[in-house]
Amino acid sequence: MTQWNQVQQLEIKFLEQVDQFYDDNFPMEIRHLLAQWIENQDWEVASNNETMATILLQNLLIQLDEQLGRVSKEKNLLLIHNLKRIRKVLQGKFHGNPMHVAVVISNCLREERRILAAANMPVQGPLEKSLQSSSVSERQRNVEHKVAAIKNSVQMTEQDTKYLEDLQDEFDYRYKTIQTMDQSDKNSTLMSQEVLTLQEMLNSLDFKRKEALSKVTQIVNETDLLMNSMLTEELQDWKRRQQIACIGGPLQNGLDQLQNCFTLLAESLFQLRRQLEKLEEQSIKMTYEGDPIPIQRTHLLERVTFLIYNLFKNSFLVERQPCMPTHPQRPMVLKTLIQFTVKLRLLIKLPELNYQVKVKASIDNNRRFVLCGTHVKAMSIEETSNGSLSVEFRHLQPKEMKSSAGSKGNEGCHMVTEELHSITFETQICLYGLTIDLETSSLPVVMISNVSQLPNAWASIIWYNVSTNDSQNLVFFNNPPSATLTQLLEVMSWQFSSYVGRGLNSEQLSMLAEKLTVQSCYNDGHLTWAKFCKEHLPGKPFTFWTWLEAILDLIKKHILPLWIDGYVMGFVSKEKERFLLKDKMPGTFLLRFSESHLGGITFTWVDHSENGEVRFHSVEPYNKGRLSALPFADILRDYKVIMAENIPENPLKYLYPDIPKDKAFGKHYSSQPCEVSRPTERGDKGYVPSVFIPISTIRSDSTEPQSPSDLLPMSPSVYAVLRENLSPTTIETAVCSPHLSSFPPVWV
């Protein structure tokens, strides 16, 4: 079953989450029509490889053309129209930046996997639950409703201002008519009536001016209240959701809705400003004792201008945090002299600003780092249905300045992965007579000089964004606060769902909790930064985070398909392992990560002795070195054990609880078991082909493999000759000789 088919079977609350991250960048129609093809491509690799991304984009357009040909035969006019439009948008948008489409599709697929993992969890974690609170959605609807009401009120005051202008023109005409009358006519009854009419008109004009100013005052008060309460809260919530998304949580959404609100408010405030200017013009043309315009206009204009300034300052933000394309799941960790990307957005989208706003990027003012590359770019409106006014920097590089006391060879060696920096962005907007200086900053970033520093740097990013809403606390690690265990476990599950496609279930999280708290049961206590990333685990030469990061790396590079399918139990203690296996059929096994070896995976199986005693066998963990030589699924298929004088046999029959091994792993075997070759059959370049055979030896006086997980190279032709000319007993004796047993049994 494709991932997309699994997504379509989710409950409506999860489908709504899926709907939120499909837009014109990657329409859902394409995801649906090309589901299998899309999932078969490696978009993550393409996001860092321009050549591969270009090929995939071309192939994507070819696939679209094929779909167009198919639906044309079916005469599906609506689908034909949509596909043509989508193809045009994709080709125009990504032609000059094919890696961006790879990033977009990779993110969508990763978010689908995260949602699938969340759907399989018994309960949502506290962080994710808070982000999806019904009160947040209600507030968003209230904000949109109030913004629409303000916009409507401003339109009404626009009509009032026009009515005032017409009324004043009529008054001015009548007044000038009286002035041109003869002296005799001025003493007439008609003249007296005209003067009374003018007085009534002046009274009406005065009332309407006061009414208009009162309405403007009310709109300004409502706008001020909205901006300083619900709109600010909505923006802060989006920024918090962005923090969570950066460390593997749900992708943030709602920025388009905020853009609509900010843009409508800006249009309304500029319209109010013009109305106040018109009122001033009317007052200059005609004023009188007690005229409210000179008294109130200046103060109102100052308030409107102040609101415009504040609205623009809040609208300038970092839409996509700094990230190296080579490590898309590790944003805010930047390596010196390596390019990173970052995207800025102005939530006030006015056509007058297109290509007129130039943004300058710089790094914090400690003079230790500088930014190389194109650091000044103009914002432009994207060509999408709800295109944003934005700019993306793609070629910035941080460079560490040489220390006067040190040499180039020592540059970067003193970097600390707990030292935080920020990327700052500045711009100036000149619009309708106003000049507005804007500045915003990225979330804190960690600078590294070597990729080996990345795991600890990423731990710092995780801890910061879990523990605080403050977006600019660069001295955070001078006294880092603790984090709640439940929050931290939720974030650990996100690391697996975002990085390797499958989150952790409650049993796996319980094992991690035990490892962190050294307790068999845990409460929602607090965990310190030192316990998470600084102090070694009891009896181990490494920290909890180092151990977990090594497992993530192992999964990503060597056992990813098995992990995604859910066949790796992974996090289970030896005690729990025995409890699970003891009542199972002989040959039942499970896969778990080593607790004593970094980045190691082992398997344990159960069998029974001749007297019925339950026995457990576990091999020495396979690390990335051995797994580079032979895929893990093939190891499980070909693994052999030699016990006493029995012939070699594979003891692994059923994956826990009772899944036949080949049913579980068959589709992941890299090839069928090798057919042996004759010595005359030559391999490539004149060599006899060889294979690795994983063999363990269990002595009669031991219940553990004598030489766990040895990979013994033996050519198929040699093995064939041995079988033809030697008895099985002789072969077993040779294999069991001391020369082939190099490691004692190891429990992990």
Side-chain angles (χ1 to χ4, degrees), residues 344-371:
L344 282 293
R345 182 166 176 173
L346 191 67
L347 295 180
I348 298 173
K349 189 184 75 170
L350 300 175
E352 299 89 336
L353 298 176
N354 196 22
Y355 291 105
Q356 301 303 310
V357 182
K358 292 186 177 180
V359 180
K360 178 183 178 181
S362 60
I363 205 161
D364 47 18
N365 297 322
N366 64 5
R367 298 188 179 182
R368 182 176 167 189
F369 295 95
V370 294
L371 287 181

Side-chain angles (χ1 to χ4, degrees), residues 318 321-323 332 334 340-342 344 360-364 369-371 393 396-398 420-426 439-447 472 474:
V318 179
Q321 293 294 329
C323 182
M332 286 104 75
L334 307 180
F340 68 89
T341 64
V342 60
L344 282 293
K360 178 183 178 181
S362 60
I363 205 161
D364 47 18
F369 295 95
V370 294
L371 287 181
F393 291 89
L396 294 175
Q397 293 181 357
L420 302 177
H421 305 268
S422 66
I423 312 298
T424 302
F425 305 91
E426 300 171 311
E439 181 178 307
T440 191
S441 297
S442 70
L443 288 170
V445 301
V446 175
M447 297 291 183
Q472 286 303 305
L474 300 185

